[in-house]
Amino acid sequence: MTHTKTQILTVIDQYASRFKEISSYIGANPELGNEEYLASARLKEELAYHGFSVEAPVLGLDTAFIGTYAASKPGPTIALLCEYDALPEIGHACGHHLICMMSLGAAVGLKSILDEVGGTLKVFGTPAEETRGAKVPMAEAGLFDDCDVALMAHPYYAYEKSGSSLAIDAVQFEFHGKSSHAAASPHEGINALDAVIQTFNGINAFRQQVKSTVRIHGVINSGGQAANIIPDYASAQFYVRASTRKELDILTQRVIQIAEGSALQTGCRLVTSNYETSYDEMVTNESLSAAFSANLLELGISQEEIVSGNDHGSMDIGNVSLRCPAIHPYIRVVDEVHTLHSIEFRDLALQERALDGMILGAKAIAATAYDVLTQPGLLQTIQTEFKQASR
């Protein structure tokens, strides 16, 4: 490990207690997507404290921000991604209070050597990853187009390489019928709930003709008020997922056609909308991923502990990965096997063991970014792979 890289790690250790305190504060004060006012404020304050210029809000999103530090010497631009939204009812059961401080901690460590090596650091505060991920409009607005790489790491119960994710559409079907007394005058009603049930039956049949990688799952979020009243309104929400956006667009259209058929069968009027933001697929840059794994080894993690990447559902970093080379690896922060989005993981992710894992994650991110900043050959390999994957 080079002297300069060691300096980065030393600086992260120097501020470790401060980073842990901020993470613990965010973890103890969970906020839903686009409502992360406490978390956003603390993160912006910390960036300003360390000499970053902070732009906020971003794209009209109150809790989004971009912290920037540019060296006087030219060099690559590194994007470090922060997430800090929590889940309804169960709080930070996905560990986003750790994610934001991995990236911010990495940024602070890197800033200490940036004037020497050259380059630009951009710390993106990206609200609402769980629902209306801010990385999507940020990517659409071209905010990552001038970034050479984008980095973040996710807490987990294992060290896992950056893998793939599924593109996703969140589709809501609202059926409008006509109410009537279900016993006295059923012939005068148009049953909106029947249309919802028909839609579920049609989708269940459609599943026989899709790839094993496709996921279609939904709930009835409104189904009527009383058994003796024919429902004049009913609605259902579905997630439709596929390996690529191109494949998903076709599947989502088929699902919409099924709902349209149900409306026609029952005589209902259908209103279709997206109730959450659509995400594209994650395309891991394997060259950048290999550099991250190599730095984990340098930090004392054994080769046997680093497992292959898996598909963990859908993530808005997918949209970023189609704009610039990106990775989304997983860092072990708990020593028991508990799934994300569980109360057990939430509770363990607030403990000192998890905070120590967070500091290790910050070091791995920073060390990988340092390699990109100082090894032109590595950056060229990363960019070549990205261009080939984009064809």
Side-chain angles (χ1 to χ4, degrees):
M1 187 174 291
T2 67
H3 170 73
T4 310
K5 188 180 285 189
T6 301
Q7 179 184 334
I8 294 171
L9 307 185
T10 299
V11 170
I12 293 174
D13 281 332
Q14 177 185 343
Y15 291 105
S17 61
R18 188 181 182 101
F19 298 154
K20 289 180 178 182
E21 187 276 326
I22 297 171
S23 178
S24 296
Y25 170 81
I26 295 172
N29 294 278
E31 301 164 294
L32 299 180
N34 291 321
E35 299 175 10
E36 315 98 319
Y37 294 102
L38 296 175
S40 178
R42 285 299 296 270
L43 296 169
K44 288 184 291 186
E45 288 170 4
E46 189 67 8
L47 284 167
Y49 174 82
H50 291 285
F52 286 77
S53 64
V54 180
E55 174 191 352
V58 176
L59 301 179
L61 300 169
D62 289 343
T63 56
F65 61 83
I66 303 175
T68 303
Y69 183 82
S72 56
K73 292 172 59 175
T77 297
I78 307 295
L80 301 165
L81 310 181
C82 294
E83 297 174 1
Y84 34 91
D85 60 317
L87 293 157
E89 299 184 6
I90 58 175
H92 277 289
C94 203
H96 290 192
H97 64 299
L98 302 172
I99 291 176
C100 58
M101 293 312 299
M102 287 188 205
S103 292
L104 195 152
V108 171
L110 286 163
K111 178 181 176 289
S112 69
I113 56 86
L114 199 69
D115 288 325
E116 177 183 343
V117 303
T120 300
L121 300 176
K122 290 188 176 183
V123 182
F124 288 85
T126 64
E129 187 275 335
E130 298 289 355
T131 51
R132 295 188 176 276
K135 298 184 196 67
V136 174
M138 286 179 171
E140 290 176 350
L143 299 188
F144 300 104
D145 290 359
D146 64 346
C147 297
D148 291 283
V149 297
L151 303 164
M152 65 174 289
H154 199 294
Y156 198 44
Y157 61 77
Y159 297 101
E160 188 175 296
K161 297 177 183 178
S162 182
S164 61
S165 72
L166 298 174
I168 184 173
D169 285 331
V171 188
Q172 176 166 282
F173 299 121
E174 297 177 280
F175 295 93
H176 297 265
K178 180 182 177 182
S179 64
S180 67
H181 195 290
S185 53
H187 55 287
E188 296 180 3
I190 298 175
N191 195 318
L193 180 58
D194 278 349
V196 166
I197 293 171
Q198 286 285 69
T199 299
F200 270 88
N201 289 337
I203 289 172
N204 286 336
F206 176 54
R207 284 196 185 98
Q208 298 176 68
Q209 281 78 49
V210 300
K211 295 179 180 178
S212 60
T213 53
V214 169
R215 300 286 184 270
I216 309 173
H217 40 105
V219 296
I220 299 174
N221 58 324
S222 180
Q225 302 300 317
N228 65 342
I229 302 174
I230 288 179
D232 64 348
Y233 174 83
S235 66
Q237 294 180 334
F238 288 88
Y239 284 131
V240 188
R241 309 182 198 243
S243 297
T244 66
R245 167 55 52 187
K246 182 178 180 180
E247 180 184 2
L248 180 59
D249 286 343
I250 296 171
L251 286 164
T252 299
Q253 188 57 40
R254 290 289 303 276
V255 170
I256 292 172
Q257 288 170 346
I258 290 169
E260 290 172 343
S262 299
L264 184 63
Q265 285 178 298
T266 57
C268 290
R269 177 173 62 88
L270 171 64
V271 176
T272 301
S273 61
N274 292 325
Y275 65 95
E276 290 178 1
T277 302
S278 296
Y279 296 170
D280 292 342
E281 71 274 14
M282 171 72 187
V283 179
T284 285
N285 187 278
E286 296 297 341
S287 302
L288 185 58
S289 178
F292 184 87
S293 294
N295 279 292
L296 282 180
L297 296 177
E298 287 194 14
L299 290 166
I301 306 305
S302 70
Q303 186 70 62
E304 292 72 26
E305 292 179 276
I306 304 172
V307 300
S308 298
N310 295 310
D311 162 27
H312 286 267
S314 304
M315 308 176 291
D316 62 348
I317 192 177
N319 295 65
V320 179
S321 75
L322 301 181
R323 293 282 188 162
C324 74
I327 58 170
H328 183 279
Y330 291 78
I331 295 291
R332 187 167 72 196
V333 301
V334 302
D335 295 320
E336 301 175 21
V337 178
H338 292 296
T339 60
L340 301 173
H341 292 208
S342 68
I343 292 174
E344 293 81 7
F345 186 87
R346 176 200 66 190
D347 292 345
L348 289 172
L350 294 169
Q351 303 304 312
E352 186 68 20
R353 164 67 181 91
L355 296 173
D356 288 339
M358 175 190 78
I359 297 300
L360 177 68
K363 291 178 177 179
I365 292 171
T368 305
Y370 173 80
D371 292 341
V372 174
L373 288 166
T374 60
Q375 298 178 25
L378 172 61
L379 180 56
Q380 181 61 51
T381 300
I382 290 168
Q383 291 177 334
T384 298
E385 178 187 332
F386 176 74
K387 291 174 183 176
Q388 290 175 343
S390 302
R391 291 175 180 170

